Amino acid sequence: MAEPHWSRQLIFSVAGNPAVTRFVTRYGMRLGASRFVAGEDLDSALTVARQLNQEGFPLAIQFLGEHVTRAEAAAEAVEEYLRLLAALEERGIDAYISIKPSQMGLEVDEELAYANCRRILEQTAAAGRFVRIEMEDSPYTEKTLRLYRRLRETFGTRDVGIVLQAYLYRSARDLEELADLHPNIRFVKGAYNEPASVAYPDKADVDRNYRQLVQRHLERGDYAAIATHDDVLIEDLLQFIEQRGIPRDRFEFQMLYGIRPQLQRQVRDRGYRMRVYIPYGRDWYGYFVRRLAERPANVGFVLRNLIRG
Ligand code: FDA
């Protein structure tokens, strides 16, 4: 949300053009996606994961995929997550798993997405690993919250968590309505192209809402994953945390692989839990575009890579 709204919208609209999509994906990750994506296969992700663990970062790992329209594709994603889980267990990697609801088939059928998430959670919960259900664009917010609530009928706060986006007007209400579950929530600003009818267009409002949501959640004693690269916001929240004497085991910071690595190290070196999010897989286009839209200056390095060939 650091950039003017129009430049974000422009990137989303150009990137949505099928010819652009074809061109960029044919060019492959060397156009710039490799800065944000750990690799196209599980082995590459595990290599990056081991390295980051050695540097003292716990991880959240996502197998890239979204807006799946066939039940078979969702089933393949489930199989990949189970392979990922087995590899994490075998190698003793400190990581949890992040899943997109539309990757589990939420667009096809809510029941299908629930069954797929359940299959994964049965295994992860038995292994004592956490799963984060991510939040996508606003047409899926309600369904995703329903999916989370349903999973919580079987699984605990320690097994599964959710994400709230500070740019959505509705998030303050959602936070209150979730309170009875004492959820583990990842707070983000929000990465999608949302209209002003559902999301704050101004960064200042998003930042203000972000602070309020996290503070309210921490005041209640519930666990917050503070997922942002905004150093001002991080300092503000740390001040609040210190003033209220909130213990360090009630929150963590999270940042994306490839974004502000120096800030990641600084937060780690101050003794806070700093989790790095690593995505992998061949379906990196949508993820890559969101990273460009967050910081349109990133388009510059794509163009430089293009010129270099
Ligand atoms: P902001 O955009 O204000 O950026 C702060 C500073 O960080 C910038 O000034 C710049 O220096 C740097 N920065 C930010 N983005 C950058 C980029 N792409 N390239 C280079 N520098 C950049 N969203 C969502 O809708 N659903 C979700 O489930 C998740 N999940 C998620 C997990 C984790 C671990 C993180 C860190 C983020 C998400 N997000 C997300 C993305 C989130 O909504 C948001 O789009 C990004 O984190 C960027 O916003 P910041 O909070 O960093 O602030």
Side-chain angles (χ1 to χ4, degrees):
M1 301 295 295
E3 302 290 330
H5 205 56
W6 63 264
S7 49
R8 279 167 66 94
Q9 277 175 342
L10 183 66
I11 290 174
F12 279 119
S13 94
V14 171
N17 181 308
V20 174
T21 309
R22 268 197 310 277
F23 177 77
V24 175
T25 47
R26 200 175 306 133
Y27 224 92
M29 292 219 304
R30 65 187 187 284
L31 215 49
S34 57
R35 176 177 158 195
F36 305 115
V37 175
E40 291 198 331
D41 56 25
L42 179 56
D43 278 347
S44 316
L46 294 171
T47 304
V48 173
R50 196 181 300 111
Q51 176 67 34
L52 286 168
N53 264 185
Q54 278 167 3
E55 292 172 23
F57 298 107
L59 309 164
I61 307 186
Q62 203 235 338
F63 169 56
L64 290 162
E66 52 195 284
H67 300 299
V68 153
T69 51
R70 292 178 306 114
E72 297 75 30
E76 282 164 23
V78 171
E79 291 310 319
E80 178 66 20
Y81 277 115
L82 296 180
R83 270 195 295 278
L84 169 62
L85 171 66
L88 297 178
E89 287 293 299
E90 198 184 300
R91 292 158 206 233
I93 292 175
D94 181 0
Y96 71 60
I97 287 174
S98 270
I99 293 176
K100 292 214 186 296
S102 74
Q103 180 180 32
M104 295 290 105
L106 194 66
E107 275 179 36
V108 183
D109 173 27
E110 278 188 62
E111 198 56 39
L112 175 73
Y114 170 73
N116 283 334
C117 288
R118 216 191 136 105
R119 267 195 69 204
I120 295 172
L121 275 160
E122 273 159 4
Q123 304 287 323
T124 49
R129 290 207 187 239
F130 182 79
V131 170
R132 174 86 55 197
I133 307 292
E134 304 203 315
M135 196 57 86
E136 302 178 86
D137 30 349
S138 58
Y140 306 103
T141 311
E142 193 64 39
K143 287 182 185 174
T144 302
L145 290 170
R146 225 169 13 236
L147 174 67
Y148 173 70
R149 282 189 174 280
R150 215 172 144 198
L151 290 166
R152 284 297 309 276
E153 287 168 13
T154 310
F155 301 99
T157 297
R158 287 170 176 276
D159 302 320
V160 60
I162 188 81
V163 176
L164 287 185
Q165 297 156 320
Y167 65 9
L168 293 188
Y169 305 130
R170 59 172 291 164
S171 288
R173 198 184 66 237
D174 288 334
L175 181 66
E176 294 311 308
E177 288 178 1
L178 286 166
D180 56 322
L181 295 174
H182 297 290
N184 175 327
I185 301 182
R186 172 195 292 160
F187 292 92
V188 301
K189 291 192 186 181
Y192 296 84
N193 190 21
E194 298 290 358
S197 54
V198 300
Y200 294 105
D202 293 335
K203 176 178 162 55
D205 292 323
V206 179
D207 292 356
R208 179 188 41 75
N209 199 33
Y210 193 106
R211 274 187 200 87
Q212 286 173 357
L213 292 171
V214 175
Q215 290 175 355
R216 181 91 187 96
H217 190 65
L218 286 172
E219 267 172 345
R220 252 192 220 116
D222 293 328
Y223 194 90
I226 304 168
T228 180
H229 315 91
D230 184 335
D231 50 298
V232 176
L233 205 45
I234 290 172
E235 289 310 320
D236 285 358
L237 286 168
L238 278 175
Q239 214 172 14
F240 172 85
I241 284 165
E242 217 141 90
Q243 276 164 4
R244 302 296 164 108
I246 291 162
R248 288 188 183 207
D249 63 359
R250 301 314 305 158
F251 67 94
E252 66 183 48
F253 292 100
Q254 297 190 347
M255 293 186 208
L256 302 177
Y257 174 67
I259 299 186
R260 303 203 74 177
Q262 204 182 335
L263 181 61
Q264 297 179 9
R265 287 192 289 272
Q266 282 166 5
V267 172
R268 174 202 63 189
D269 291 346
R270 287 164 73 183
Y272 296 108
R273 190 178 299 151
M274 172 68 247
R275 190 178 299 275
V276 177
Y277 177 104
I278 56 175
Y280 76 96
R282 297 172 67 91
D283 193 1
W284 44 261
Y285 185 73
Y287 183 86
F288 180 45
V289 168
R290 289 192 290 280
R291 303 296 78 81
L292 297 182
E294 278 158 5
R295 194 158 180 265
N298 286 343
V299 173
F301 78 72
V302 174
L303 295 176
R304 279 195 297 280
N305 290 335
L306 190 61
I307 291 162
R308 276 194 211 114

